[in-house]
Amino acid sequence: MSASPVASSQTSLRVVCLPGDGIGPEVMAAAQRVLRELAPDLELEERLFGAAAIRATGTSLPEETLAACRSADAVLKAPIGDPEFDAADVRPEQGMLQLRAELDVYANLRPASLGGVDLLIVRELVGGLYFGARGVREDGTAFDTCEYHPSQVERVARRAFELARTRRRRLTSVDKANVLETSRLWRRVVGEVAREYPDVAVDDMLVDNAAMQLASDPAQFDVIVTENMFGDILSDLAAAMTGGLGLAPSASLSDDGPGIFEPVHGSAPDIAGRGVANPAAMLRSTALMLEHAFGRLEEARALEVAVDVGLQKRPTPDLGGNATTAELADAVVEALS
Ligand code: NAD
Ligand code: IPM
Ligand code: MN
């Protein structure tokens, strides 16, 4: 291969960065800083998304942003959301769901570990209540519907079993099969897929019990697979059990196209603009990107270790320390070199 500029720009890896809202730009700056140090060959592009995009263009996910994400090698996303739009017709969260659906990132990996706890929630991300028919009837009744096709359950279950094989080979499938039709489908399909993975120990757990078990004995879990809404709620709980939302990363994966790598937490309007947000969740999401989008395991592990070192040295206020976002990022960069 020639080393002409054209050839190299064709082969370079493109990361579309979505800085988002609230603390989003603050934690994104930390991620970009670390990436320039650790993986200077990656091309970082920024695009408008969320409330920032609504203000500039009238829509949360502008065409141009979507096109850039589609053709990227990975999407690195900071949180979106702004109280100003909570009751508006056009809301930042709509663009986020649209982006997930457009990229078909059905498997949302949300790892949580601390001490004896090391679990991975695999949350179905493009189905269920978030995407069913909804509306408000003339009499004022509001409704959201939860639908799952067997194939939607099957593909995320298979992904979860595969991941369990790379870990402690235990899978807990969480549902509400004592009440919901979609959950009975979920349980049946997971059971069918389980036959292909006799080496993985699988059990079913009702979601209310799962919340209690997560709060009282989180060390019992290895991989948890669950539908969209249950996964949203349980993953904030798992984060709380393992150090808080400031630490919790995620990777949203499809079968082929680009993945989305973003923290579990939101735009934290209560602390935005003060430069004190914990960037660890964003940095760990960046490590997941290096691992899952680019197969760069060594860099991913190095970043994870550097984040741990940084957190020890310069903890942010959410962890009882007094470091700023930038100071923790400095400590991570220092630990990398
Ligand atoms: P949140 O996750 O933004 O905040 C919950 C609490 O955790 C707050 O007290 C906040 O200060 C704290 N927190 C969160 N991240 C932190 C960090 N990195 N460092 C230190 N403290 C942190 O949840 P919320 O307040 O319910 O939601 C705020 C907005 O974020 C809403 O508009 C919501 O829709 C949006 N949201 C977006 C995403 C996303 O883009 N992925 C995820 C969740 C919520
Ligand atoms: C998350 C967030 C989103 C979700 C919101 C902002 C739409 O809470 O990523 O966990 O519910 O999926
Ligand atoms: Mn959530």
Side-chain angles (χ1 to χ4, degrees):
M1 276 272 278
S2 104
S4 75
V6 173
S8 74
S9 78
Q10 278 171 347
T11 53
S12 72
L13 296 169
R14 283 180 51 236
V15 177
V16 167
C17 299
L18 307 173
D21 309 314
I23 62 169
E26 302 169 34
V27 295
M28 178 60 83
Q32 292 176 337
R33 166 128 201 265
V34 164
L35 276 178
R36 279 192 287 267
E37 199 70 34
L38 182 64
D41 59 305
L42 298 182
E43 241 178 67
L44 308 181
E45 298 170 19
E46 271 191 15
R47 290 291 187 284
L48 274 174
F49 191 48
I54 297 177
R55 287 192 192 96
T57 72
T59 167
S60 170
L61 175 59
E63 275 299 326
E64 205 262 333
T65 298
L66 175 58
C69 291
R70 276 187 193 288
S71 64
D73 294 291
V75 177
L76 187 61
K77 183 190 156 294
I80 50 93
D82 188 314
E84 184 190 324
F85 294 100
D86 278 353
D89 286 337
V90 180
R91 294 182 303 280
E93 291 79 1
Q94 292 162 330
M96 183 162 160
L97 301 189
Q98 191 194 339
L99 182 63
R100 288 172 177 172
E102 294 277 0
L103 299 184
D104 197 27
V105 287
Y106 64 88
N108 179 216
L109 282 44
R110 297 190 157 186
S113 60
L114 182 74
V117 180
D118 178 11
L119 63 87
L120 172 67
I121 295 180
V122 180
R123 169 191 179 193
E124 201 291 326
L125 201 61
V126 295
L129 268 179
Y130 282 57
F131 293 93
R134 71 190 59 193
V136 182
R137 294 201 198 97
E138 254 173 36
D139 71 351
T141 309
F143 63 95
D144 300 277
T145 44
C146 186
E147 284 189 31
Y148 270 105
H149 186 274
S151 62
Q152 288 179 292
V153 182
E154 187 185 331
R155 64 180 184 170
V156 74
R158 187 159 279 123
R159 192 62 88 103
F161 275 104
E162 291 293 338
L163 287 160
R165 273 190 171 160
T166 70
R167 298 170 48 98
R168 302 195 305 282
R169 293 176 189 261
R170 295 193 31 127
L171 180 71
T172 306
S173 173
V174 171
D175 62 38
K176 188 73 185 174
N178 53 347
V179 176
L180 301 176
E181 202 60 48
T182 42
S183 278
R184 283 189 284 275
L185 169 75
W186 184 277
R187 196 173 277 214
R188 174 170 66 70
V189 173
V190 171
E192 284 162 14
V193 176
R195 286 193 226 122
E196 295 167 38
Y197 298 87
D199 52 316
V200 176
V202 56
D203 63 333
D204 300 302
M205 193 179 279
L206 296 173
V207 63
D208 45 356
N209 182 34
M212 189 276 286
Q213 299 288 341
L214 265 173
S216 58
D217 180 20
Q220 71 182 283
F221 295 105
D222 180 15
V223 179
I224 293 173
V225 64
T226 192
E227 65 90 49
N228 201 343
M229 180 90 167
F230 297 159
D232 178 44
I233 297 166
L234 293 181
S235 57
D236 267 37
L237 177 55
M241 297 308 293
T242 52
L245 274 176
L247 302 179
S250 91
S252 305
L253 308 174
S254 67
D255 279 329
D256 25 53
I260 304 174
F261 303 86
E262 62 172 327
V264 171
H265 65 71
S267 54
D270 53 337
I271 59 165
R274 309 212 322 248
V276 297
N278 188 342
M282 187 76 226
L283 295 174
R284 286 176 169 172
S285 303
T286 306
L288 290 178
M289 176 185 81
L290 290 167
E291 175 178 347
H292 291 277
F294 304 128
R296 289 158 76 150
L297 273 177
E298 231 171 82
E299 286 166 8
R301 291 291 101 82
L303 179 50
E304 280 164 1
V305 169
V307 169
D308 288 344
V309 172
L311 286 167
Q312 286 293 324
K313 282 195 180 155
R314 303 306 310 271
T316 40
D318 55 311
L319 302 173
N322 62 8
T324 64
T325 310
E327 284 166 348
L328 175 45
D330 283 344
V332 173
V333 168
E334 197 183 300
L336 277 172
S337 53

